Amino acid sequence: MLSSRRVPCCAVILLALSQLALAQYEHLGYPPGYPEPEQEQYSAPQLPPDTPRIQLRLAGDKRKHNEGRVEVFYNNEWGTVCDDDFNIHAAQVVCRELGYLEAVSWSPSSKYGKGQGPIWFDNLRCTGKEKTLALCPSNGIGVSDCKHSEDVGVVCSDKRIPGFKFINTLPNHNLDIRVEDVRIRAILSSYRKRIPVTEGYVEVKDGGKWKQICNSEWKELNSRVICGMFGFPGERKYNARVYKMFARRRKPLYWDYSVNCTGNEAHLSSCKLGQVTSVKSNGTCDGGLPVVVSCVPGRAFAPTPMSGFKKAFRHEQPLVRLRGGAIVGEGRVEVLKNGEWGTICDDDWSLLSATVVCRELGFGTAKEALSGGRLGQGMGPVHMNEVQCSGFEKSITECQFNKEALGCSHEEDAAVRCNVPAMGFQESLRLSGGRNPFEGRVEVLMERNGSLVWGTVCSDGWGTMEAMVVCRQLGLGFASNAFQETWYWPGEVSADSVVMSGVRCSGTEMSLSHCLHHGDHLSCPKGGGRNAAGVSCSETAPDLVLNPQVVEQTTYMEDRPMFMLQCAYEENCLASASVEAPANSYRRLLRFSSQIHNNGQSDFRPKAGRHAWVWHDCHRHYHSMEVFTLYDLFSLNGTKVAEGHKASFCLEDSECDEGIEKRYECANFGEQGITVGCWDTYRHDIDCQWIDITDLKPGDYIFQIVINPNFEVPETDYSNNVMKCRCRYDGHRVWMYSCHNGGSLSSETEQTFPGLLNNQVTHR
């Protein structure tokens, strides 16, 4: 009897543990291919007759379209809500009333700016189940002792309530548009097969049904907003006559309202509701036709007859670029001024300014304006501060801004996430067998013998760059690991066969199919299945950057006798000619310090675990990476004339920014790594921190340092892993000058380093 009673108890415990195990991955979301939890369907709220009739909107200084100051329309006047007693339950009621699935967070103290008019609600005490904010207990509508400095704001989820239907209980007074979804539906056969969809009917989903919008009051500014939402920088004219013929053949179903946009909105939900649409008895509207838009894609997404889609993303404008983002269309904003790239301070950074950047780079409007160095910290100057844009500028450099950036540090670097066209790349790739949606065996959908089949990727040569492309294609962030064996991840048995081999990526591709590969001529001696390629992805990654000023300021020469260089000789830190050098001879060493910062979003850790670190008895330390940095001297025509390398025998936090604690130190076989916001300093007086220039002839040279040269550890940006200096050696003295990181100068300035343009670092 006792054992039978224990069984239900054990089952309950196991069920609870399984729910906890799954809960740890809830914040990661559900990538394509994973079933989402069942969502409730929307039903229009049944309100008591005496309920005050209100409407809500999100206003103020937004950095996403689904956030803002809560404003309430009541008694023919817009007002705000006080933050006293406001909580996440009240935010839930607000977001649900606006048609969003749920609230993410809320903010007190007028984060989105001070509103105007009455403060309609104070001391709200919602349970989260109310159908409208007016049903929450409060001091009474209009009864408040608050000031507008206490206006509350909310952030709602991106997802809308399935089946949501907008019901206007009041006359139209500057209401924001609230619908379940929006799309551009390709109508003409010539556009139906195109990816991305650039032309068609504008349709809104309201009450679970897709409806067209009457074009009687439609303006070009409305089209500009729609195109921006779907990742296109602009709109163009289309052949209206063809659509008239189509509308006669198929009766449209019109939405109840027109749309009124100013043209600088980032999303349709920020546009105002227009007049009620007058639909005639025969189903036509005044003006007679559904709205059609035709959008202009950015160059990276535009098909060309010869080459198809642009295979590797290239930034279109020379004055602005994005750095540190996981996917195309997001990153830290950097601008070029006086030949040097710098960042933008996030003071007054808004969705309007972010949208100007996105359109300038060939994307659509901004999904989010990020602040506080959220996508990593830059290096170099802060070029712009307090940027103010109207939304119609062609470039962020045309916006008003404060040239003085006093008080701004790289901890305040502004960033953007842009709307990009839906290319459908996620549908031809999946991760299978992993413990969570962010890892697994890579399986691709390929055409074989006239049909599409799922299969694996050969892992020969599979590395970080290929894994980066996979994670980007699936929208899962950065690669954290690339695996050449996946026997521990049992994928789909039907997909064991290899369908792609010889994959080589540069790391900038939007899809794995854009990388070099063998095509139909497969070659994979070890086969797929347990030996197939795999990845694990992460939303964040480190970013190592060398401080060029430290190198420039600490360089000197030393003549050191061979008998004092035995350990360095054993670790291959001397020129090959030193093999025959007698013990009483000298080696001439070019010595310098290097200070390596982690400006990324996560700690830099060696790829190998401590069980795989190699003990070097001579120096009495462990190597966690066989090659951590390369040191090279090139002639002006790009020929390598001297070299050195340094294993990361000690990755640790030497110093950190204020407020950040050191986490890594090498003493006592400690954990190795570099914390975000910290740096590791290799002093000029330690072994291997040099280049052996004993046999170097006097002349002018290029000095180059490369960090993490084999891309063993994934980073957000590899372009800044290279540092170059001009170097002059006269046989007795050495000068190091014009030191700078890769990508920190304009291409014109970079050309003053002759011979190196064709000498870029590659991972093969």
Side-chain angles (χ1 to χ4, degrees):
M1 287 297 289
L2 188 61
S3 61
S4 65
R5 286 180 184 175
R6 283 180 181 171
V7 171
C9 180
C10 292
V12 169
I13 292 171
L14 284 171
L15 181 62
L17 286 172
S18 68
Q19 288 175 339
L20 284 171
L22 291 172
Q24 67 180 314
Y25 299 115
E26 278 182 6
H27 72 284
L28 301 176
Y30 293 81
Y34 278 77
E36 295 260 0
E38 285 287 325
Q39 301 290 357
E40 61 178 288
Q41 285 294 314
Y42 178 80
S43 57
Q46 302 295 317
L47 302 178
D50 59 343
T51 305
R53 293 299 189 257
I54 63 171
Q55 289 285 6
L56 303 181
R57 70 182 181 190
L58 300 181
D61 305 325
K62 301 182 180 184
R63 292 189 172 176
K64 288 190 287 189
H65 72 86
N66 50 322
E67 69 174 11
R69 181 177 60 247
V70 180
E71 294 196 348
V72 180
F73 186 78
Y74 176 74
N75 198 24
N76 290 320
E77 192 172 6
W78 284 101
T80 61
V81 176
C82 182
D83 59 16
D84 291 351
D85 290 339
F86 199 90
N87 57 26
I88 194 65
H89 299 304
Q92 180 82 353
V93 174
V94 169
C95 291
R96 298 279 299 178
E97 192 167 353
L98 288 168
Y100 295 102
L101 199 58
E102 61 185 353
V104 175
S105 62
W106 64 278
S107 302
S109 307
S110 62
K111 176 186 174 182
Y112 299 98
K114 296 178 183 179
Q116 295 180 331
I119 296 174
W120 286 125
F121 289 106
D122 187 9
N123 297 111
L124 280 165
R125 295 177 294 278
C126 304
T127 65
K129 303 294 185 183
E130 292 85 356
K131 298 295 184 183
T132 172
L133 202 65
L135 289 175
C136 293
S138 69
N139 291 352
I141 195 161
V143 180
S144 172
D145 59 356
C146 294
K147 299 176 182 177
H148 282 296
S149 58
E150 300 171 81
D151 286 344
V152 80
V154 299
V155 180
C156 301
S157 68
D158 285 323
K159 294 179 181 175
R160 306 285 291 177
I161 300 172
F164 177 80
K165 181 172 178 59
F166 172 68
I167 300 172
N168 190 7
T169 58
L170 295 170
N172 183 10
H173 289 278
N174 248 1
L175 294 177
D176 291 343
I177 290 174
R178 304 207 299 268
V179 290
E180 182 185 341
D181 204 356
V182 188
R183 72 181 181 187
I184 300 175
R185 181 164 69 94
I187 299 299
L188 307 182
S189 57
S190 57
Y191 282 95
R192 285 181 199 161
K193 295 180 181 179
R194 288 194 188 179
I195 298 175
V197 175
T198 59
E199 183 175 306
Y201 280 174
V202 176
E203 298 186 335
V204 296
K205 195 174 187 182
D206 190 41
K209 294 181 179 178
W210 286 103
K211 300 177 182 180
Q212 292 83 44
I213 301 172
C214 180
N215 70 352
S216 59
E217 296 183 33
W218 191 261
K219 302 173 294 186
E220 273 190 33
L221 293 174
N222 298 346
S223 297
R224 173 180 164 86
V225 174
I226 294 294
C227 289
M229 272 180 64
F230 289 95
F232 305 112
E235 71 287 348
R236 62 187 166 201
K237 295 190 180 299
Y238 59 92
N239 186 349
R241 191 170 59 182
V242 180
Y243 287 97
K244 283 182 183 177
M245 294 170 57
F246 185 86
R248 289 195 198 104
R249 294 204 309 266
R250 191 163 299 180
K251 185 179 176 182
L253 175 63
Y254 286 107
W255 191 44
D256 298 334
Y257 301 94
S258 60
V259 173
N260 185 15
C261 302
T262 62
N264 61 7
E265 294 90 350
H267 194 275
L268 184 67
S269 63
S270 299
C271 296
K272 301 303 178 188
L273 205 62
Q275 299 299 315
V276 175
T277 299
S278 174
V279 180
K280 298 178 181 177
S281 56
N282 62 358
T284 61
C285 68
D286 288 334
L289 294 172
V291 165
V292 175
V293 296
S294 184
C295 305
V296 182
R299 211 168 51 192
F301 304 96
T304 58
M306 295 299 291
S307 61
F309 288 98
K310 195 173 181 69
K311 291 192 175 181
F313 179 70
R314 294 290 181 269
H315 300 286
E316 296 184 62
Q317 296 291 332
L319 297 178
V320 182
R321 69 184 185 186
L322 302 181
R323 282 287 187 268
I327 59 175
V328 172
E330 73 171 34
R332 179 179 62 254
V333 183
E334 297 188 352
V335 292
L336 186 64
K337 181 182 177 184
N338 299 329
E340 187 174 13
W341 288 98
T343 60
I344 296 177
C345 188
D346 63 10
D347 293 350
D348 297 334
W349 186 242
S350 67
L351 210 55
L352 268 180
S353 302
T355 289
V356 172
V357 169
C358 291
R359 289 189 189 274
E360 182 178 1
L361 292 171
F363 307 119
T365 51
K367 277 195 293 192
E368 188 172 2
L370 298 127
S371 58
R374 284 266 304 279
L375 296 185
Q377 297 180 26
M379 295 284 281
V382 178
H383 281 325
M384 302 174 77
N385 185 24
E386 298 174 358
V387 178
Q388 300 279 352
C389 301
S390 69
F392 291 96
E393 293 86 354
K394 296 293 184 186
S395 170
I396 192 74
T397 57
E398 297 175 9
C399 299
Q400 293 183 349
F401 66 95
N402 186 349
K403 295 179 182 178
E404 297 295 328
L406 296 174
C408 279
S409 68
H410 286 298
E411 293 177 1
E412 300 170 82
D413 283 345
V416 297
R417 287 197 175 105
C418 304
N419 286 309
V420 297
M423 304 298 291
F425 292 141
Q426 294 180 340
E427 297 168 12
S428 59
L429 188 73
R430 69 188 183 192
L431 300 183
S432 183
R435 297 163 298 177
N436 63 65
F438 281 65
E439 67 177 22
R441 185 175 79 176
V442 178
E443 296 178 358
V444 292
L445 188 64
M446 298 287 283
E447 187 175 336
R448 289 288 176 266
N449 301 321
S451 60
L452 291 172
V453 295
W454 286 98
T456 56
V457 179
C458 185
S459 63
D460 283 345
W462 184 259
T464 299
M465 289 303 188
E466 291 72 33
M468 282 285 198
V469 174
V470 168
C471 294
R472 178 184 302 121
Q473 184 174 346
L474 291 172
L476 299 179
F478 303 97
S480 55
N481 281 292
F483 300 98
Q484 294 191 353
E485 290 184 354
T486 49
W487 52 267
Y488 36 78
W489 287 331
E492 295 287 336
V493 177
S494 60
D496 273 354
S497 299
V498 173
V499 295
M500 183 182 274
S501 65
V503 181
R504 296 293 182 275
C505 302
S506 68
T508 63
E509 295 86 354
M510 290 188 276
S511 167
L512 199 64
S513 62
H514 293 167
C515 299
L516 292 172
H517 59 91
H518 290 156
D520 293 332
H521 307 287
L522 296 174
S523 175
C524 190
K526 61 183 183 182
R530 61 189 289 120
N531 293 316
V535 301
S536 61
C537 305
S538 172
E539 292 177 327
T540 59
D543 182 23
L544 295 189
V545 185
L546 199 88
N547 187 327
Q549 285 74 37
V550 170
V551 174
E552 195 168 311
Q553 293 163 6
T554 59
T555 302
Y556 65 97
M557 283 193 324
E558 180 193 11
D559 290 338
R560 197 167 181 83
M562 264 304 287
F563 69 81
M564 296 180 67
L565 294 170
Q566 284 308 302
C567 283
Y569 173 75
E570 289 179 18
E571 294 186 13
N572 298 317
C573 296
L574 298 174
S576 55
S578 65
V579 175
E580 300 174 2
N584 61 350
S585 64
Y586 285 77
R587 304 302 297 178
R588 177 158 288 183
L589 307 176
L590 177 65
R591 307 196 73 139
F592 50 87
S593 295
S594 59
Q595 189 181 92
I596 300 167
H597 294 246
N598 182 0
N599 287 353
Q601 305 159 52
S602 63
D603 295 353
F604 184 94
R605 301 295 308 279
K607 180 180 179 180
R610 65 166 67 202
H611 66 280
W613 295 353
V614 179
W615 173 257
H616 281 249
D617 198 52
C618 187
H619 277 128
R620 312 295 295 173
H621 59 232
Y622 283 92
H623 285 199
S624 59
M625 291 175 68
E626 194 55 43
V627 179
F628 179 56
T629 50
L630 292 178
Y631 308 136
D632 296 302
L633 269 180
F634 296 94
S635 66
L636 296 186
N637 67 7
T639 304
K640 188 185 293 187
V641 293
E643 64 182 7
H645 87 275
K646 187 167 191 62
S648 74
F649 60 77
C650 180
L651 275 175
E652 67 178 3
D653 297 326
S654 302
E655 298 291 339
C656 297
D657 289 330
E658 188 178 348
I660 297 176
E661 291 186 10
K662 298 178 184 180
R663 297 183 59 187
Y664 304 104
E665 61 178 347
C666 300
N668 302 317
F669 194 34
E671 288 290 345
Q672 294 192 26
I674 307 176
T675 306
V676 176
C678 299
W679 56 91
D680 189 2
T681 301
Y682 291 90
R683 285 175 50 86
H684 54 79
D685 54 2
I686 63 175
D687 264 4
C688 298
Q689 192 63 32
W690 62 57
I691 292 181
D692 185 346
I693 60 169
T694 306
D695 303 317
L696 188 70
K697 295 176 182 178
D700 288 312
Y701 298 96
I702 303 295
F703 173 58
Q704 177 176 284
I705 297 178
V706 184
I707 314 167
N708 190 17
N710 298 327
F711 306 99
E712 283 186 40
V713 179
E715 297 185 45
T716 63
D717 185 2
Y718 287 113
S719 66
N720 56 16
N721 283 31
V722 182
M723 190 224 67
K724 303 171 188 173
C725 305
R726 297 297 293 262
C727 179
R728 174 165 290 180
Y729 174 55
D730 69 357
H732 306 285
R733 293 170 298 177
V734 68
W735 291 266
M736 199 79 77
Y737 59 100
S738 297
C739 294
H740 66 280
N741 292 111
S744 65
L745 303 180
S746 66
S747 56
E748 292 81 4
T749 309
E750 198 68 56
Q751 286 169 3
T752 63
F753 285 71
L756 282 188
L757 294 181
N758 298 319
N759 199 25
Q760 302 298 315
V761 177
T762 59
H763 75 293
R764 302 294 180 200

